[in-house]
PDB file of all heavy atoms in Angstrom:
ATOM      1  N   PRO M 482      -3.040   5.617   4.992  1.00 97.00           N
ATOM      2  CA  PRO M 482      -4.111   4.965   4.242  1.00 97.00           C
ATOM      3  C   PRO M 482      -4.067   5.362   2.768  1.00 97.00           C
ATOM      4  O   PRO M 482      -3.849   6.525   2.430  1.00 97.00           O
ATOM      5  CB  PRO M 482      -5.389   5.468   4.906  1.00 97.00           C
ATOM      6  CG  PRO M 482      -5.007   6.753   5.538  1.00 97.00           C
ATOM      7  CD  PRO M 482      -3.534   6.686   5.858  1.00 97.00           C
ATOM      8  N   VAL M 483      -4.265   4.381   1.919  1.00 96.00           N
ATOM      9  CA  VAL M 483      -4.389   4.595   0.479  1.00 96.00           C
ATOM     10  C   VAL M 483      -5.796   4.126   0.120  1.00 96.00           C
ATOM     11  O   VAL M 483      -6.145   2.972   0.358  1.00 96.00           O
ATOM     12  CB  VAL M 483      -3.326   3.789  -0.302  1.00 96.00           C
ATOM     13  CG1 VAL M 483      -3.521   3.955  -1.796  1.00 96.00           C
ATOM     14  CG2 VAL M 483      -1.926   4.212   0.118  1.00 96.00           C
ATOM     15  N   TYR M 484      -6.592   5.031  -0.435  1.00 96.00           N
ATOM     16  CA  TYR M 484      -7.995   4.734  -0.704  1.00 96.00           C
ATOM     17  C   TYR M 484      -8.211   4.349  -2.157  1.00 96.00           C
ATOM     18  O   TYR M 484      -7.707   5.014  -3.060  1.00 96.00           O
ATOM     19  CB  TYR M 484      -8.867   5.945  -0.373  1.00 96.00           C
ATOM     20  CG  TYR M 484      -8.799   6.356   1.075  1.00 96.00           C
ATOM     21  CD1 TYR M 484      -7.913   7.335   1.489  1.00 96.00           C
ATOM     22  CD2 TYR M 484      -9.608   5.752   2.032  1.00 96.00           C
ATOM     23  CE1 TYR M 484      -7.835   7.717   2.823  1.00 96.00           C
ATOM     24  CE2 TYR M 484      -9.542   6.114   3.361  1.00 96.00           C
ATOM     25  CZ  TYR M 484      -8.648   7.105   3.750  1.00 96.00           C
ATOM     26  OH  TYR M 484      -8.583   7.475   5.070  1.00 96.00           O
ATOM     27  N   THR M 485      -8.963   3.279  -2.357  1.00 95.00           N
ATOM     28  CA  THR M 485      -9.449   2.922  -3.679  1.00 95.00           C
ATOM     29  C   THR M 485     -10.974   2.886  -3.585  1.00 95.00           C
ATOM     30  O   THR M 485     -11.529   3.045  -2.500  1.00 95.00           O
ATOM     31  CB  THR M 485      -8.916   1.545  -4.146  1.00 95.00           C
ATOM     32  OG1 THR M 485      -9.560   0.517  -3.404  1.00 95.00           O
ATOM     33  CG2 THR M 485      -7.403   1.439  -4.000  1.00 95.00           C
ATOM     34  N   SER M 486     -11.629   2.631  -4.679  1.00 94.00           N
ATOM     35  CA  SER M 486     -13.091   2.575  -4.635  1.00 94.00           C
ATOM     36  C   SER M 486     -13.586   1.396  -3.795  1.00 94.00           C
ATOM     37  O   SER M 486     -14.666   1.440  -3.230  1.00 94.00           O
ATOM     38  CB  SER M 486     -13.670   2.490  -6.040  1.00 94.00           C
ATOM     39  OG  SER M 486     -13.197   1.322  -6.685  1.00 94.00           O
ATOM     40  N   GLN M 487     -12.766   0.359  -3.704  1.00 93.00           N
ATOM     41  CA  GLN M 487     -13.188  -0.847  -2.994  1.00 93.00           C
ATOM     42  C   GLN M 487     -12.488  -1.061  -1.651  1.00 93.00           C
ATOM     43  O   GLN M 487     -13.053  -1.653  -0.747  1.00 93.00           O
ATOM     44  CB  GLN M 487     -12.928  -2.053  -3.893  1.00 93.00           C
ATOM     45  CG  GLN M 487     -13.593  -3.319  -3.448  1.00 93.00           C
ATOM     46  CD  GLN M 487     -13.468  -4.409  -4.505  1.00 93.00           C
ATOM     47  OE1 GLN M 487     -12.700  -4.299  -5.455  1.00 93.00           O
ATOM     48  NE2 GLN M 487     -14.211  -5.467  -4.331  1.00 93.00           N
ATOM     49  N   TRP M 488     -11.253  -0.572  -1.525  1.00 95.00           N
ATOM     50  CA  TRP M 488     -10.420  -0.909  -0.367  1.00 95.00           C
ATOM     51  C   TRP M 488      -9.801   0.321   0.281  1.00 95.00           C
ATOM     52  O   TRP M 488      -9.623   1.346  -0.340  1.00 95.00           O
ATOM     53  CB  TRP M 488      -9.277  -1.835  -0.776  1.00 95.00           C
ATOM     54  CG  TRP M 488      -9.708  -3.039  -1.523  1.00 95.00           C
ATOM     55  CD1 TRP M 488      -9.551  -3.278  -2.854  1.00 95.00           C
ATOM     56  CD2 TRP M 488     -10.367  -4.192  -0.996  1.00 95.00           C
ATOM     57  NE1 TRP M 488     -10.076  -4.499  -3.192  1.00 95.00           N
ATOM     58  CE2 TRP M 488     -10.587  -5.081  -2.065  1.00 95.00           C
ATOM     59  CE3 TRP M 488     -10.801  -4.548   0.270  1.00 95.00           C
ATOM     60  CZ2 TRP M 488     -11.209  -6.310  -1.888  1.00 95.00           C
ATOM     61  CZ3 TRP M 488     -11.421  -5.774   0.428  1.00 95.00           C
ATOM     62  CH2 TRP M 488     -11.622  -6.635  -0.639  1.00 95.00           C
ATOM     63  N   VAL M 489      -9.412   0.137   1.542  1.00 96.00           N
ATOM     64  CA  VAL M 489      -8.483   1.045   2.207  1.00 96.00           C
ATOM     65  C   VAL M 489      -7.249   0.195   2.486  1.00 96.00           C
ATOM     66  O   VAL M 489      -7.337  -0.858   3.113  1.00 96.00           O
ATOM     67  CB  VAL M 489      -9.058   1.608   3.524  1.00 96.00           C
ATOM     68  CG1 VAL M 489      -8.009   2.469   4.229  1.00 96.00           C
ATOM     69  CG2 VAL M 489     -10.323   2.396   3.261  1.00 96.00           C
ATOM     70  N   ILE M 490      -6.126   0.645   1.965  1.00 97.00           N
ATOM     71  CA  ILE M 490      -4.882  -0.107   2.095  1.00 97.00           C
ATOM     72  C   ILE M 490      -3.956   0.704   2.993  1.00 97.00           C
ATOM     73  O   ILE M 490      -3.652   1.863   2.704  1.00 97.00           O
ATOM     74  CB  ILE M 490      -4.225  -0.331   0.717  1.00 97.00           C
ATOM     75  CG1 ILE M 490      -5.199  -1.075  -0.194  1.00 97.00           C
ATOM     76  CG2 ILE M 490      -2.912  -1.083   0.867  1.00 97.00           C
ATOM     77  CD1 ILE M 490      -4.777  -1.128  -1.646  1.00 97.00           C
ATOM     78  N   LEU M 491      -3.534   0.104   4.099  1.00 97.00           N
ATOM     79  CA  LEU M 491      -2.627   0.774   5.024  1.00 97.00           C
ATOM     80  C   LEU M 491      -1.208   0.337   4.727  1.00 97.00           C
ATOM     81  O   LEU M 491      -0.912  -0.863   4.692  1.00 97.00           O
ATOM     82  CB  LEU M 491      -2.984   0.442   6.474  1.00 97.00           C
ATOM     83  CG  LEU M 491      -4.406   0.782   6.917  1.00 97.00           C
ATOM     84  CD1 LEU M 491      -4.596   0.416   8.378  1.00 97.00           C
ATOM     85  CD2 LEU M 491      -4.723   2.241   6.685  1.00 97.00           C
ATOM     86  N   VAL M 492      -0.335   1.311   4.526  1.00 98.00           N
ATOM     87  CA  VAL M 492       1.072   1.040   4.251  1.00 98.00           C
ATOM     88  C   VAL M 492       1.929   1.851   5.207  1.00 98.00           C
ATOM     89  O   VAL M 492       1.449   2.739   5.909  1.00 98.00           O
ATOM     90  CB  VAL M 492       1.440   1.392   2.783  1.00 98.00           C
ATOM     91  CG1 VAL M 492       0.697   0.500   1.807  1.00 98.00           C
ATOM     92  CG2 VAL M 492       1.182   2.847   2.481  1.00 98.00           C
ATOM     93  N   ASN M 493       3.216   1.574   5.200  1.00 98.00           N
ATOM     94  CA  ASN M 493       4.169   2.322   5.997  1.00 98.00           C
ATOM     95  C   ASN M 493       4.362   3.693   5.352  1.00 98.00           C
ATOM     96  O   ASN M 493       4.752   3.795   4.187  1.00 98.00           O
ATOM     97  CB  ASN M 493       5.501   1.565   6.063  1.00 98.00           C
ATOM     98  CG  ASN M 493       6.516   2.230   6.961  1.00 98.00           C
ATOM     99  OD1 ASN M 493       6.645   3.440   6.990  1.00 98.00           O
ATOM    100  ND2 ASN M 493       7.257   1.421   7.689  1.00 98.00           N
ATOM    101  N   GLU M 494       4.092   4.734   6.109  1.00 97.00           N
ATOM    102  CA  GLU M 494       4.173   6.102   5.610  1.00 97.00           C
ATOM    103  C   GLU M 494       5.563   6.443   5.050  1.00 97.00           C
ATOM    104  O   GLU M 494       5.688   7.217   4.113  1.00 97.00           O
ATOM    105  CB  GLU M 494       3.830   7.057   6.759  1.00 97.00           C
ATOM    106  CG  GLU M 494       3.832   8.511   6.405  1.00 97.00           C
ATOM    107  CD  GLU M 494       3.464   9.354   7.606  1.00 97.00           C
ATOM    108  OE1 GLU M 494       4.367   9.672   8.404  1.00 97.00           O
ATOM    109  OE2 GLU M 494       2.271   9.684   7.751  1.00 97.00           O
ATOM    110  N   GLU M 495       6.595   5.854   5.616  1.00 97.00           N
ATOM    111  CA  GLU M 495       7.968   6.146   5.193  1.00 97.00           C
ATOM    112  C   GLU M 495       8.574   5.010   4.374  1.00 97.00           C
ATOM    113  O   GLU M 495       9.791   4.909   4.251  1.00 97.00           O
ATOM    114  CB  GLU M 495       8.826   6.426   6.422  1.00 97.00           C
ATOM    115  CG  GLU M 495       8.359   7.650   7.194  1.00 97.00           C
ATOM    116  CD  GLU M 495       9.162   7.911   8.446  1.00 97.00           C
ATOM    117  OE1 GLU M 495       9.689   6.944   9.044  1.00 97.00           O
ATOM    118  OE2 GLU M 495       9.273   9.084   8.824  1.00 97.00           O
ATOM    119  N   GLY M 496       7.722   4.170   3.811  1.00 97.00           N
ATOM    120  CA  GLY M 496       8.189   2.994   3.085  1.00 97.00           C
ATOM    121  C   GLY M 496       9.152   3.299   1.955  1.00 97.00           C
ATOM    122  O   GLY M 496      10.165   2.613   1.787  1.00 97.00           O
ATOM    123  N   HIS M 497       8.862   4.334   1.173  1.00 95.00           N
ATOM    124  CA  HIS M 497       9.753   4.691   0.062  1.00 95.00           C
ATOM    125  C   HIS M 497      11.077   5.234   0.588  1.00 95.00           C
ATOM    126  O   HIS M 497      12.139   4.924   0.047  1.00 95.00           O
ATOM    127  CB  HIS M 497       9.093   5.697  -0.878  1.00 95.00           C
ATOM    128  CG  HIS M 497       8.002   5.106  -1.713  1.00 95.00           C
ATOM    129  ND1 HIS M 497       8.246   4.297  -2.793  1.00 95.00           N
ATOM    130  CD2 HIS M 497       6.661   5.181  -1.605  1.00 95.00           C
ATOM    131  CE1 HIS M 497       7.100   3.914  -3.333  1.00 95.00           C
ATOM    132  NE2 HIS M 497       6.116   4.435  -2.626  1.00 95.00           N
ATOM    133  N   LEU M 498      11.022   6.040   1.644  1.00 96.00           N
ATOM    134  CA  LEU M 498      12.249   6.588   2.237  1.00 96.00           C
ATOM    135  C   LEU M 498      13.130   5.486   2.823  1.00 96.00           C
ATOM    136  O   LEU M 498      14.351   5.601   2.829  1.00 96.00           O
ATOM    137  CB  LEU M 498      11.912   7.608   3.325  1.00 96.00           C
ATOM    138  CG  LEU M 498      11.198   8.877   2.870  1.00 96.00           C
ATOM    139  CD1 LEU M 498      10.777   9.716   4.069  1.00 96.00           C
ATOM    140  CD2 LEU M 498      12.089   9.683   1.949  1.00 96.00           C
ATOM    141  N   GLN M 499      12.493   4.431   3.328  1.00 97.00           N
ATOM    142  CA  GLN M 499      13.224   3.317   3.928  1.00 97.00           C
ATOM    143  C   GLN M 499      13.616   2.259   2.900  1.00 97.00           C
ATOM    144  O   GLN M 499      14.169   1.222   3.259  1.00 97.00           O
ATOM    145  CB  GLN M 499      12.380   2.668   5.031  1.00 97.00           C
ATOM    146  CG  GLN M 499      12.103   3.589   6.194  1.00 97.00           C
ATOM    147  CD  GLN M 499      11.134   2.989   7.203  1.00 97.00           C
ATOM    148  OE1 GLN M 499      10.660   1.866   7.052  1.00 97.00           O
ATOM    149  NE2 GLN M 499      10.842   3.739   8.247  1.00 97.00           N
ATOM    150  N   ASN M 500      13.304   2.525   1.633  1.00 97.00           N
ATOM    151  CA  ASN M 500      13.617   1.587   0.544  1.00 97.00           C
ATOM    152  C   ASN M 500      13.043   0.194   0.791  1.00 97.00           C
ATOM    153  O   ASN M 500      13.706  -0.821   0.554  1.00 97.00           O
ATOM    154  CB  ASN M 500      15.125   1.504   0.305  1.00 97.00           C
ATOM    155  CG  ASN M 500      15.676   2.787  -0.253  1.00 97.00           C
ATOM    156  OD1 ASN M 500      15.070   3.388  -1.142  1.00 97.00           O
ATOM    157  ND2 ASN M 500      16.794   3.238   0.275  1.00 97.00           N
ATOM    158  N   LEU M 501      11.797   0.156   1.272  1.00 97.00           N
ATOM    159  CA  LEU M 501      11.137  -1.125   1.470  1.00 97.00           C
ATOM    160  C   LEU M 501      10.873  -1.766   0.107  1.00 97.00           C
ATOM    161  O   LEU M 501      10.724  -1.055  -0.897  1.00 97.00           O
ATOM    162  CB  LEU M 501       9.820  -0.937   2.235  1.00 97.00           C
ATOM    163  CG  LEU M 501       9.953  -0.429   3.668  1.00 97.00           C
ATOM    164  CD1 LEU M 501       8.579  -0.263   4.299  1.00 97.00           C
ATOM    165  CD2 LEU M 501      10.814  -1.358   4.509  1.00 97.00           C
ATOM    166  N   PRO M 502      10.803  -3.093   0.057  1.00 98.00           N
ATOM    167  CA  PRO M 502      10.604  -3.770  -1.232  1.00 98.00           C
ATOM    168  C   PRO M 502       9.213  -3.521  -1.814  1.00 98.00           C
ATOM    169  O   PRO M 502       8.240  -3.311  -1.087  1.00 98.00           O
ATOM    170  CB  PRO M 502      10.799  -5.247  -0.895  1.00 98.00           C
ATOM    171  CG  PRO M 502      10.571  -5.361   0.567  1.00 98.00           C
ATOM    172  CD  PRO M 502      10.953  -4.042   1.166  1.00 98.00           C
ATOM    173  N   LEU M 503       9.149  -3.551  -3.129  1.00 98.00           N
ATOM    174  CA  LEU M 503       7.896  -3.391  -3.851  1.00 98.00           C
ATOM    175  C   LEU M 503       6.904  -4.472  -3.427  1.00 98.00           C
ATOM    176  O   LEU M 503       7.257  -5.635  -3.297  1.00 98.00           O
ATOM    177  CB  LEU M 503       8.152  -3.501  -5.354  1.00 98.00           C
ATOM    178  CG  LEU M 503       6.939  -3.488  -6.275  1.00 98.00           C
ATOM    179  CD1 LEU M 503       6.248  -2.140  -6.217  1.00 98.00           C
ATOM    180  CD2 LEU M 503       7.365  -3.817  -7.693  1.00 98.00           C
ATOM    181  N   ASN M 504       5.666  -4.052  -3.209  1.00 98.00           N
ATOM    182  CA  ASN M 504       4.596  -4.995  -2.911  1.00 98.00           C
ATOM    183  C   ASN M 504       3.739  -5.078  -4.177  1.00 98.00           C
ATOM    184  O   ASN M 504       2.880  -4.219  -4.428  1.00 98.00           O
ATOM    185  CB  ASN M 504       3.772  -4.546  -1.704  1.00 98.00           C
ATOM    186  CG  ASN M 504       2.833  -5.616  -1.222  1.00 98.00           C
ATOM    187  OD1 ASN M 504       2.224  -6.311  -2.020  1.00 98.00           O
ATOM    188  ND2 ASN M 504       2.696  -5.734   0.092  1.00 98.00           N
ATOM    189  N   ILE M 505       4.002  -6.090  -4.976  1.00 97.00           N
ATOM    190  CA  ILE M 505       3.364  -6.215  -6.284  1.00 97.00           C
ATOM    191  C   ILE M 505       1.853  -6.370  -6.172  1.00 97.00           C
ATOM    192  O   ILE M 505       1.100  -5.737  -6.918  1.00 97.00           O
ATOM    193  CB  ILE M 505       3.978  -7.393  -7.067  1.00 97.00           C
ATOM    194  CG1 ILE M 505       5.440  -7.089  -7.369  1.00 97.00           C
ATOM    195  CG2 ILE M 505       3.206  -7.669  -8.350  1.00 97.00           C
ATOM    196  CD1 ILE M 505       6.235  -8.264  -7.890  1.00 97.00           C
ATOM    197  N   GLU M 506       1.399  -7.184  -5.240  1.00 96.00           N
ATOM    198  CA  GLU M 506      -0.039  -7.455  -5.146  1.00 96.00           C
ATOM    199  C   GLU M 506      -0.842  -6.215  -4.763  1.00 96.00           C
ATOM    200  O   GLU M 506      -1.850  -5.904  -5.397  1.00 96.00           O
ATOM    201  CB  GLU M 506      -0.312  -8.577  -4.144  1.00 96.00           C
ATOM    202  CG  GLU M 506      -1.755  -9.017  -4.173  1.00 96.00           C
ATOM    203  CD  GLU M 506      -2.016 -10.275  -3.373  1.00 96.00           C
ATOM    204  OE1 GLU M 506      -1.081 -11.020  -3.077  1.00 96.00           O
ATOM    205  OE2 GLU M 506      -3.200 -10.496  -3.052  1.00 96.00           O
ATOM    206  N   VAL M 507      -0.417  -5.478  -3.754  1.00 96.00           N
ATOM    207  CA  VAL M 507      -1.191  -4.291  -3.367  1.00 96.00           C
ATOM    208  C   VAL M 507      -1.021  -3.157  -4.382  1.00 96.00           C
ATOM    209  O   VAL M 507      -1.938  -2.359  -4.567  1.00 96.00           O
ATOM    210  CB  VAL M 507      -0.895  -3.800  -1.934  1.00 96.00           C
ATOM    211  CG1 VAL M 507      -1.354  -4.809  -0.913  1.00 96.00           C
ATOM    212  CG2 VAL M 507       0.539  -3.434  -1.739  1.00 96.00           C
ATOM    213  N   SER M 508       0.112  -3.107  -5.044  1.00 97.00           N
ATOM    214  CA  SER M 508       0.292  -2.114  -6.108  1.00 97.00           C
ATOM    215  C   SER M 508      -0.723  -2.355  -7.217  1.00 97.00           C
ATOM    216  O   SER M 508      -1.314  -1.412  -7.750  1.00 97.00           O
ATOM    217  CB  SER M 508       1.713  -2.177  -6.671  1.00 97.00           C
ATOM    218  OG  SER M 508       2.650  -1.785  -5.695  1.00 97.00           O
ATOM    219  N   ALA M 509      -0.959  -3.614  -7.541  1.00 95.00           N
ATOM    220  CA  ALA M 509      -1.943  -3.966  -8.569  1.00 95.00           C
ATOM    221  C   ALA M 509      -3.365  -3.631  -8.106  1.00 95.00           C
ATOM    222  O   ALA M 509      -4.205  -3.233  -8.920  1.00 95.00           O
ATOM    223  CB  ALA M 509      -1.835  -5.440  -8.924  1.00 95.00           C
ATOM    224  N   LEU M 510      -3.641  -3.775  -6.813  1.00 91.00           N
ATOM    225  CA  LEU M 510      -4.977  -3.466  -6.282  1.00 91.00           C
ATOM    226  C   LEU M 510      -5.332  -1.993  -6.431  1.00 91.00           C
ATOM    227  O   LEU M 510      -6.491  -1.648  -6.655  1.00 91.00           O
ATOM    228  CB  LEU M 510      -5.065  -3.820  -4.796  1.00 91.00           C
ATOM    229  CG  LEU M 510      -5.336  -5.256  -4.406  1.00 91.00           C
ATOM    230  CD1 LEU M 510      -5.310  -5.399  -2.895  1.00 91.00           C
ATOM    231  CD2 LEU M 510      -6.661  -5.731  -4.952  1.00 91.00           C
ATOM    232  N   CYS M 511      -4.345  -1.119  -6.286  1.00 92.00           N
ATOM    233  CA  CYS M 511      -4.674   0.308  -6.280  1.00 92.00           C
ATOM    234  C   CYS M 511      -4.137   1.075  -7.483  1.00 92.00           C
ATOM    235  O   CYS M 511      -4.418   2.260  -7.615  1.00 92.00           O
ATOM    236  CB  CYS M 511      -4.207   0.947  -4.984  1.00 92.00           C
ATOM    237  SG  CYS M 511      -2.443   1.081  -4.834  1.00 92.00           S
ATOM    238  N   GLY M 512      -3.361   0.436  -8.330  1.00 92.00           N
ATOM    239  CA  GLY M 512      -2.894   1.103  -9.535  1.00 92.00           C
ATOM    240  C   GLY M 512      -1.784   2.106  -9.315  1.00 92.00           C
ATOM    241  O   GLY M 512      -1.604   3.023 -10.107  1.00 92.00           O
ATOM    242  N   ARG M 513      -1.064   1.963  -8.218  1.00 94.00           N
ATOM    243  CA  ARG M 513       0.114   2.808  -7.977  1.00 94.00           C
ATOM    244  C   ARG M 513       1.153   2.004  -7.229  1.00 94.00           C
ATOM    245  O   ARG M 513       0.845   0.964  -6.656  1.00 94.00           O
ATOM    246  CB  ARG M 513      -0.244   4.096  -7.259  1.00 94.00           C
ATOM    247  CG  ARG M 513      -0.662   3.934  -5.819  1.00 94.00           C
ATOM    248  CD  ARG M 513      -1.028   5.263  -5.200  1.00 94.00           C
ATOM    249  NE  ARG M 513      -0.086   5.636  -4.172  1.00 94.00           N
ATOM    250  CZ  ARG M 513      -0.362   6.460  -3.182  1.00 94.00           C
ATOM    251  NH1 ARG M 513      -1.546   7.021  -3.105  1.00 94.00           N
ATOM    252  NH2 ARG M 513       0.531   6.764  -2.284  1.00 94.00           N
ATOM    253  N   VAL M 514       2.371   2.467  -7.229  1.00 97.00           N
ATOM    254  CA  VAL M 514       3.464   1.719  -6.619  1.00 97.00           C
ATOM    255  C   VAL M 514       3.403   1.850  -5.096  1.00 97.00           C
ATOM    256  O   VAL M 514       3.465   2.953  -4.556  1.00 97.00           O
ATOM    257  CB  VAL M 514       4.833   2.213  -7.129  1.00 97.00           C
ATOM    258  CG1 VAL M 514       5.966   1.516  -6.401  1.00 97.00           C
ATOM    259  CG2 VAL M 514       4.943   2.002  -8.629  1.00 97.00           C
ATOM    260  N   LEU M 515       3.262   0.699  -4.426  1.00 97.00           N
ATOM    261  CA  LEU M 515       3.278   0.646  -2.970  1.00 97.00           C
ATOM    262  C   LEU M 515       4.380  -0.306  -2.542  1.00 97.00           C
ATOM    263  O   LEU M 515       4.649  -1.304  -3.212  1.00 97.00           O
ATOM    264  CB  LEU M 515       1.935   0.184  -2.418  1.00 97.00           C
ATOM    265  CG  LEU M 515       0.745   1.107  -2.692  1.00 97.00           C
ATOM    266  CD1 LEU M 515      -0.532   0.511  -2.134  1.00 97.00           C
ATOM    267  CD2 LEU M 515       0.977   2.488  -2.115  1.00 97.00           C
ATOM    268  N   VAL M 516       4.982   0.013  -1.417  1.00 98.00           N
ATOM    269  CA  VAL M 516       6.101  -0.801  -0.935  1.00 98.00           C
ATOM    270  C   VAL M 516       5.829  -1.289   0.482  1.00 98.00           C
ATOM    271  O   VAL M 516       5.031  -0.719   1.214  1.00 98.00           O
ATOM    272  CB  VAL M 516       7.429  -0.007  -0.981  1.00 98.00           C
ATOM    273  CG1 VAL M 516       7.787   0.374  -2.400  1.00 98.00           C
ATOM    274  CG2 VAL M 516       7.372   1.225  -0.096  1.00 98.00           C
ATOM    275  N   GLY M 517       6.519  -2.365   0.850  1.00 98.00           N
ATOM    276  CA  GLY M 517       6.411  -2.908   2.198  1.00 98.00           C
ATOM    277  C   GLY M 517       5.149  -3.719   2.408  1.00 98.00           C
ATOM    278  O   GLY M 517       4.350  -3.938   1.501  1.00 98.00           O
ATOM    279  N   ASP M 518       4.991  -4.182   3.639  1.00 98.00           N
ATOM    280  CA  ASP M 518       3.810  -4.950   4.018  1.00 98.00           C
ATOM    281  C   ASP M 518       2.603  -4.013   4.093  1.00 98.00           C
ATOM    282  O   ASP M 518       2.742  -2.830   4.418  1.00 98.00           O
ATOM    283  CB  ASP M 518       4.028  -5.629   5.369  1.00 98.00           C
ATOM    284  CG  ASP M 518       5.181  -6.623   5.340  1.00 98.00           C
ATOM    285  OD1 ASP M 518       5.592  -7.035   4.233  1.00 98.00           O
ATOM    286  OD2 ASP M 518       5.673  -6.979   6.421  1.00 98.00           O
ATOM    287  N   ALA M 519       1.422  -4.535   3.788  1.00 98.00           N
ATOM    288  CA  ALA M 519       0.223  -3.703   3.746  1.00 98.00           C
ATOM    289  C   ALA M 519      -0.977  -4.433   4.328  1.00 98.00           C
ATOM    290  O   ALA M 519      -1.104  -5.644   4.188  1.00 98.00           O
ATOM    291  CB  ALA M 519      -0.069  -3.306   2.307  1.00 98.00           C
ATOM    292  N   LEU M 520      -1.840  -3.671   4.965  1.00 97.00           N
ATOM    293  CA  LEU M 520      -3.118  -4.178   5.451  1.00 97.00           C
ATOM    294  C   LEU M 520      -4.209  -3.725   4.495  1.00 97.00           C
ATOM    295  O   LEU M 520      -4.293  -2.544   4.168  1.00 97.00           O
ATOM    296  CB  LEU M 520      -3.430  -3.619   6.840  1.00 97.00           C
ATOM    297  CG  LEU M 520      -2.715  -4.240   8.015  1.00 97.00           C
ATOM    298  CD1 LEU M 520      -2.954  -3.406   9.278  1.00 97.00           C
ATOM    299  CD2 LEU M 520      -3.175  -5.665   8.230  1.00 97.00           C
ATOM    300  N   VAL M 521      -5.024  -4.654   4.065  1.00 97.00           N
ATOM    301  CA  VAL M 521      -6.114  -4.348   3.144  1.00 97.00           C
ATOM    302  C   VAL M 521      -7.428  -4.592   3.868  1.00 97.00           C
ATOM    303  O   VAL M 521      -7.649  -5.666   4.422  1.00 97.00           O
ATOM    304  CB  VAL M 521      -6.027  -5.228   1.872  1.00 97.00           C
ATOM    305  CG1 VAL M 521      -7.177  -4.922   0.932  1.00 97.00           C
ATOM    306  CG2 VAL M 521      -4.684  -5.033   1.181  1.00 97.00           C
ATOM    307  N   MET M 522      -8.279  -3.562   3.864  1.00 96.00           N
ATOM    308  CA  MET M 522      -9.576  -3.697   4.532  1.00 96.00           C
ATOM    309  C   MET M 522     -10.629  -2.941   3.734  1.00 96.00           C
ATOM    310  O   MET M 522     -10.292  -2.112   2.881  1.00 96.00           O
ATOM    311  CB  MET M 522      -9.500  -3.183   5.972  1.00 96.00           C
ATOM    312  CG  MET M 522      -9.093  -1.747   6.103  1.00 96.00           C
ATOM    313  SD  MET M 522      -8.900  -1.196   7.830  1.00 96.00           S
ATOM    314  CE  MET M 522      -7.525  -2.164   8.359  1.00 96.00           C
ATOM    315  N   THR M 523     -11.875  -3.237   4.030  1.00 94.00           N
ATOM    316  CA  THR M 523     -12.966  -2.531   3.372  1.00 94.00           C
ATOM    317  C   THR M 523     -13.108  -1.142   3.993  1.00 94.00           C
ATOM    318  O   THR M 523     -12.605  -0.881   5.091  1.00 94.00           O
ATOM    319  CB  THR M 523     -14.296  -3.285   3.523  1.00 94.00           C
ATOM    320  OG1 THR M 523     -14.651  -3.299   4.916  1.00 94.00           O
ATOM    321  CG2 THR M 523     -14.207  -4.701   2.980  1.00 94.00           C
TER     322      THR M 523
END
């Protein structure tokens, strides 16, 4: 889980190690680089 003030974003824990592709939209939501598919919830 990656926590922001508005969202909890679930990503693959090993995404960077697995060289998953950049997820531009969720990276913009939380202000940090996130990779792979992500679940966004309140």
